[in-house]
Amino acid sequence: MSKYIFITGGVVSSLGKGIAAASIGKLLEARGLKAAIIKCDPYLNVDPGTMNPYQHGEVYVTEDGAETDLDLGHYERFSNTVLSKDSNITAGKVYYSVITKERRGDYLGKTVQIIPHITDEIKERIKKVSRGNDVDVTIVEIGGTVGDIESLPFLEAIRQLRWELGEGYALNIHVTLLPYIRSAGEQKTKPTQHSVGRLREIGIIPQILMCRTERPISQDQREKIALFCNVDVEAVIEAIDVKHIYEVPVALKKQKLDELILKKLNIKLPDKGIKNWEEGVVKRLRSPAKEVKIAVVGKYIALQDAYKSIYEALVHGGIANNARVNVVKVDSEELEKQDPKKVFKGMQGVLIPGGFGSRGIEGKIRAVGHVRENKIPFFGICLGMQIATIEFARHVCDLKNANSTEFDKQTPQPVIGLLEEQKQVENMGASMRLGAYPCFLEKGTSSFEAYKTSKISERHRHRYEFNNHYRVQMEEAGMVFAGVNPERDLVEIIEIKDHPWFVGCQFHPEFKSKPDAAHPLFREFITAALKQATDK
Ligand code: GLN
């Protein structure tokens, strides 16, 4: 039977609960345990797939095609923990299924209520993940901040679970903030005390506190927090700001967090350390031998979380090349007004990530034209690949009106268009081409060179596709179809001839990249960029 760790957050949001959960997963795995991580999101959307990046940041896609919270991306990057569509439990999913059951008559005769029906549904969904996968420890992160109205059913569910499981089988970790008041020169523990008090009011007593702080916590402060929050002094963990998120597992291990968790869960296992991570990831991040400058062109550039997995995968590509990747964010709408020569001066590579809608599209097309002509390494992902196709069609194949039907429904040259099945779609939720699909690679291409194998599988999230009607014409003009889906003959990867590195893929390779195992395309993109002179 699985043991459980419940992670809650208090005081403010954005304390890095997701990274804390991911790091704990990593540390437990290093001890030889099989872990699963679940994210509970209290919002009423069934999944974040229909949300705007301004609302939610990136939508992370799992292997089985679920559109999920970006914290699941952290879980997968830090660890090999079990993840699937069941790993993201939203209030929307929970209420939807309870109301569906009610309509079906499953609760006939009863009044359907938050307690027990909603809370039972949450508990059942949590237990399903551990049960189905032979998991030793299930880590459950509860989104939101203690005190929010909407997270209450989730908190009640984990309170009940903790009680049902009993001592030694479940553990509550609370992540809080110790703000530093500059004018007073003091680190304040009161918000942490209040937030733990708030948890206790609803019956949850945390055994470990992870305190986010800018400065080290003194022994006095630790003792004070321990005394007023009812935890052991050694259970006051300092979660100090680090330069890079991948340092977090190392910082937590130094404070023996894994030891403490195992003790509280009554598990005895030898400590084999996390040397590979320290040497292969953290050390390389701290002192890389080289540097490279990459432009990322998008419309959500102002938002740190919108292209989360892309930025992380670039960092991984850097680690694999022993190089620091300096990302320059370029707003695609601005690019419509500016000279690309000036904007891209000094850039050694340009990446265009995924996206939806017509805003900023012409700016992105200009970006591709510039890198194609000036032979600057280019990596187009999903929308980025579609943009590269449109640019090539317009300027190399003389299809002057080429476009995607996403941006111009009436375009006479729809080089990117909808598949028949997508034309029938009425519901916007979970109706894209989602999740892992196979792809065959053509020998002699940059993509084959990167993967060094012919058969790959990558995750998708899109509606539009390369239009095969234009394939021959584009090929004759110098486009290379480096990757094709074997079942449906769909173009998955385009490249162009006579260019140092120009790859556009319809799938999202960023979802499968890890700091200690960079995705082959990101690795090779950075390798190509490092060869690029900086004076262009
Ligand atoms: N908007 C494009 C499509 O739906 C690209 C999607 C994406 O980049 N994720 O096909």
Side-chain angles (χ1 to χ4, degrees):
M1 195 182 86
S2 173
K3 300 199 169 183
Y4 288 85
I5 299 174
F6 302 112
I7 303 183
T8 50
V11 186
V12 290
S13 58
S14 303
L15 288 180
K17 285 197 302 286
I19 290 169
S23 302
I24 291 170
K26 163 103 217 143
L27 295 179
L28 296 183
E29 259 182 16
R31 291 283 187 142
L33 290 165
K34 183 165 181 192
I37 316 185
I38 299 172
K39 173 79 190 279
C40 294
D41 277 311
Y43 50 70
L44 288 174
N45 300 63
V46 170
D47 63 43
T50 53
M51 274 190 245
N52 178 318
Y54 284 114
Q55 294 282 316
H56 189 271
E58 166 188 280
V59 173
Y60 187 77
V61 181
T62 55
E63 200 64 9
D64 60 353
E67 297 172 283
T68 70
D69 187 75
L70 58 78
D71 275 325
L72 275 79
H74 292 309
Y75 306 163
E76 277 209 314
R77 285 188 282 271
F78 279 72
S79 68
N80 297 311
T81 48
V82 175
L83 268 196
S84 73
K85 61 179 185 334
D86 297 328
S87 311
N88 196 183
I89 305 174
T90 63
K93 273 188 200 165
V94 171
Y95 281 80
Y96 193 82
S97 88
V98 168
I99 291 170
T100 307
K101 285 180 192 165
E102 186 278 329
R103 291 289 78 185
R104 211 166 50 207
D106 291 10
Y107 308 111
L108 226 47
K110 299 212 178 76
T111 307
V112 180
Q113 292 177 298
I114 305 273
I115 302 171
H117 301 98
I118 294 293
T119 45
D120 280 355
E121 179 78 26
I122 296 171
K123 289 195 297 187
E124 201 34 55
R125 282 173 180 259
I126 290 175
K127 287 193 274 190
K128 184 181 165 209
V129 172
S130 351
R131 212 189 297 128
N133 297 292
D134 255 343
V135 172
D136 299 311
V137 180
T138 308
I139 301 162
V140 185
E141 177 193 347
I142 310 291
T145 309
V146 169
D148 295 345
I149 290 176
E150 58 244 26
S151 55
L152 279 173
F154 286 98
L155 295 173
E156 171 60 14
I158 62 162
R159 182 198 68 74
Q160 292 182 14
L161 265 180
R162 161 84 179 76
W163 181 84
E164 286 164 15
L165 290 156
E167 198 73 31
Y169 286 91
L171 171 67
N172 284 91
I173 298 183
H174 191 51
V175 185
T176 75
L177 177 72
L178 297 182
Y180 182 80
I181 307 296
R182 214 150 270 149
S183 56
E186 266 182 70
Q187 194 176 41
K188 293 293 184 188
T189 65
K190 193 65 69 116
T192 294
Q193 295 179 42
H194 278 304
S195 148
V196 172
R198 206 66 202 259
L199 262 185
R200 282 207 304 257
E201 275 170 30
I202 50 177
I204 294 175
I205 301 168
Q207 288 88 49
I208 296 178
L209 297 179
M210 292 177 71
C211 305
R212 278 303 300 273
T213 172
E214 286 172 41
R215 299 171 185 240
I217 312 175
S218 67
Q219 187 58 23
D220 281 358
Q221 293 287 72
R222 278 180 204 260
E223 284 169 14
K224 184 173 168 190
I225 296 167
L227 176 66
F228 291 117
C229 297
N230 260 337
V231 296
D232 303 331
V233 181
E234 55 167 12
V236 179
I237 302 291
E238 173 187 282
I240 200 162
D241 295 354
V242 285
K243 196 147 169 250
H244 210 286
I245 53 171
Y246 299 124
E247 295 179 30
V248 173
V250 179
L252 295 177
K253 185 153 181 61
K254 258 196 203 127
Q255 296 176 73
K256 300 196 167 64
L257 177 63
D258 51 342
E259 193 69 51
L260 186 67
I261 291 175
L262 293 190
K263 195 169 105 193
K264 295 208 182 283
L265 289 179
N266 270 334
I267 301 172
K268 282 198 187 72
L269 280 170
D271 186 0
K272 295 192 213 107
I274 47 167
K275 266 266 159 318
N276 284 351
W277 188 267
E278 283 171 302
E279 303 278 321
V281 178
V282 177
K283 207 163 153 199
R284 276 171 166 238
L285 265 176
R286 282 199 192 137
S287 45
K290 295 163 266 181
E291 282 195 50
V292 65
K293 215 174 188 178
I294 302 291
V296 174
V297 184
K299 70 173 169 179
Y300 297 113
I301 283 307
L303 207 77
Q304 185 56 25
D305 280 349
Y307 305 114
K308 190 91 207 159
S309 296
I310 296 275
Y311 296 144
E312 292 307 319
L314 283 170
V315 170
H316 309 160
I319 294 174
N321 281 281
N322 205 359
R324 170 175 298 124
V325 179
N326 298 312
V327 169
V328 178
K329 299 174 181 174
V330 177
D331 184 328
S332 47
E333 272 185 292
E334 289 296 311
L335 204 56
E336 284 169 8
K337 297 169 235 154
Q338 292 164 352
D339 178 4
K341 242 200 198 90
K342 273 199 200 134
V343 177
F344 294 120
K345 194 165 166 38
M347 298 300 152
Q348 292 162 277
V350 173
L351 185 150
I352 303 189
F356 297 84
S358 55
R359 193 156 58 81
I361 290 298
E362 293 303 319
K364 291 181 187 172
I365 293 176
R366 290 185 76 185
V368 176
H370 178 78
V371 298
R372 183 178 53 74
E373 283 169 359
N374 292 283
K375 306 218 181 294
I376 300 168
F378 168 75
F379 195 5
I381 293 176
C382 207
L383 177 68
M385 172 267 195
Q386 299 175 354
I387 296 285
T389 305
I390 298 168
E391 195 281 331
F392 191 85
R394 284 189 193 172
H395 304 125
V396 183
C397 295
D398 212 26
L399 295 163
K400 295 213 161 35
N401 296 306
N403 215 334
S404 161
T405 53
E406 180 178 7
F407 319 128
D408 177 4
K409 279 200 169 43
Q410 309 306 332
T411 175
Q413 288 150 348
V415 290
I416 304 290
L418 281 183
L419 285 177
E420 269 321 303
E421 71 220 34
Q422 280 292 338
K423 291 184 188 157
Q424 323 300 332
V425 163
E426 280 173 11
N427 274 345
M428 294 312 274
S431 58
M432 285 189 242
R433 185 167 180 247
L434 289 167
Y437 285 96
C439 165
F440 274 133
L441 299 180
E442 192 66 35
K443 290 212 170 90
T445 57
S446 302
S447 305
F448 186 87
E449 278 310 301
Y451 286 94
K452 303 229 179 328
T453 175
S454 318
K455 192 171 179 247
I456 59 164
S457 165
E458 293 282 2
R459 299 182 197 172
H460 294 69
R461 181 174 187 253
H462 62 111
R463 286 187 205 285
Y464 294 82
E465 295 282 349
F466 184 98
N467 183 346
N468 278 341
H469 176 73
Y470 294 94
R471 206 142 135 187
V472 174
Q473 193 178 352
M474 300 266 226
E475 198 157 31
E476 279 167 1
M479 183 167 270
V480 178
F481 298 103
V484 172
N485 169 270
E487 292 146 359
R488 317 262 320 255
D489 196 30
L490 302 172
V491 171
E492 294 278 3
I493 308 179
I494 60 158
E495 296 184 9
I496 58 171
K497 287 194 180 129
D498 303 321
H499 192 285
W501 209 87
F502 190 105
V503 175
C505 53
Q506 187 57 81
F507 50 79
H508 288 271
E510 70 273 23
F511 294 143
K512 283 176 78 171
S513 189
K514 288 178 182 245
D516 48 356
H519 188 283
L521 291 178
F522 277 89
R523 188 192 65 225
E524 292 307 302
F525 173 53
I526 298 297
T527 307
L530 280 162
K531 289 186 194 141
Q532 184 73 12
T534 49
D535 54 358
K536 264 197 189 165

